[in-house]
Amino acid sequence: MATIKATSDLDAVEAFCRRWEQAWNGHDGDAVAAMCADDLVYDEPALGTTVHGPDSLRDFVNRMARGYPDYSFTREGLYAEVTRNAVLVAWRFSGTFARTGRRVEFHGDDRLELGEDGLIRAYRCLYDNKFVEGQLRGAVAEA
């Protein structure tokens, strides 16, 4: 497992983000949670609040896998912060909502702040949740 000690190590950043992407696309809540520190601060638009700890993220991944059984993320960009230990992963989500059969697609960003141990301490997931809700209602088609 590659540990990021500094975001200037681009090979380590790439390896870390590849693991992050594989864990999400594998619908593996345990693998996603294992990349996070015990004191994780997690902001997720769909939750509408800030939650704490890797268990909250594990639970979210597992709910996503049930709600969107075919979901996947495609990485669109990777940006490393040079003044602190953080990365921004730009992605595109695609999945079918199991309850309605509606297809949902949207862009978002994960801002991951890492501790000295290489684990994620703060995870800010950024996307337009109202846009997603509109797709679920069938009221919006992505431009």
Side-chain angles (χ1 to χ4, degrees):
M1 170 169 75
T3 300
I4 300 176
K5 296 278 186 194
T7 53
S8 59
D9 182 348
L10 296 181
D11 289 337
V13 170
E14 178 61 38
F16 180 87
C17 289
R18 204 171 23 254
R19 280 185 34 241
W20 182 247
E21 188 176 352
Q22 288 170 347
W24 275 97
N25 283 334
H27 302 190
D28 189 343
D30 290 331
V32 172
M35 297 180 70
C36 300
D38 288 339
D39 61 349
L40 173 72
V41 176
Y42 173 44
D43 289 322
E44 166 62 51
L47 296 176
T49 188
T50 298
V51 295
H52 298 88
D55 289 341
S56 60
L57 185 52
R58 176 186 296 108
D59 293 344
F60 184 78
V61 173
N62 292 336
R63 283 195 313 271
M64 285 283 296
R66 286 189 303 274
Y68 299 85
D70 64 346
Y71 86 74
S72 66
F73 291 91
T74 303
R75 188 180 348 157
E76 294 187 328
L78 173 61
Y79 310 91
E81 171 68 54
V82 295
T83 59
R84 61 192 170 117
N85 213 16
V87 296
L88 180 88
V89 181
W91 45 261
R92 176 160 290 287
F93 174 91
S94 178
T96 306
F97 190 50
R99 282 192 272 168
T100 64
R102 288 198 186 276
R103 191 85 180 145
V104 176
E105 294 188 21
F106 60 96
H107 165 84
D109 299 303
D110 288 348
R111 191 177 95 207
L112 309 171
E113 296 179 25
L114 308 169
E116 289 299 315
D117 56 5
L119 295 175
I120 300 167
R121 298 242 177 255
Y123 172 21
R124 309 274 193 270
C125 185
L126 308 166
Y127 60 88
D128 184 346
N129 197 47
K130 290 191 186 305
F131 178 75
V132 175
E133 290 170 349
Q135 287 188 63
L136 290 172
R137 288 189 310 274
V140 177
E142 186 164 6

